[in-house]
Amino acid sequence: MNVDRMQELVQQMRALAAEAAASPRLDGARAPAGAAGTEGDFAGTLRSALAGVNAQMQQADQLQTQFSTGTSNVSLSDVMLATQKASLSFQAALQVRNKLVSAYQDIMNIQA
């Protein structure tokens, strides 16, 4: 196990957490009181990102339903764009999950 690789990963995670804490939230919500700069802030950021992915997937599904039933003035291009955005968001979330699982496994395999 390469310790330098693990230290680099920890530094990247800290930098991303600091960036997430410093940036304004997209949904307009505020971080929980006392969570700024703690591990709870990472969990909240991850939770809000997953909620965003879920919202995009639900919107794409709703547009598909509206288009197929013909009840709304929804064009095929709107449906396709929403579907592709939802797909890309899901793929990005999947890659983040894979990296987190890999990092967890690497940390658990470190022999002290």
Side-chain angles (χ1 to χ4, degrees):
M1 172 65 39
N2 188 355
V3 176
D4 292 333
R5 182 173 166 230
M6 289 305 300
Q7 289 176 344
E8 181 181 288
L9 178 64
V10 170
Q11 288 174 349
Q12 287 177 352
M13 289 175 68
R14 286 182 182 155
L16 288 173
E19 182 180 326
S23 67
R25 299 189 62 145
L26 295 177
D27 60 1
R30 293 177 24 168
T38 64
E39 291 80 14
D41 193 38
F42 177 75
T45 302
L46 187 60
R47 188 175 298 116
S48 68
L50 291 176
V53 171
N54 186 40
Q56 283 185 335
M57 293 182 81
Q58 288 178 347
Q59 179 187 13
D61 189 42
Q62 182 181 19
L63 286 174
Q64 287 174 358
T65 303
Q66 288 175 355
F67 181 77
S68 64
T69 59
T71 59
S72 177
N73 294 336
V74 177
S75 67
L76 180 61
S77 61
D78 292 339
V79 173
M80 294 305 295
L81 283 173
T83 302
Q84 288 300 313
K85 284 180 183 180
S87 176
L88 286 172
S89 295
F90 180 74
Q91 291 297 321
L94 188 64
Q95 292 300 320
V96 168
R97 186 220 46 174
N98 290 343
K99 290 292 184 180
L100 287 173
V101 168
S102 176
Y104 176 77
Q105 289 173 343
D106 287 344
I107 290 170
M108 294 309 291
N109 288 333
I110 293 175
Q111 299 288 327

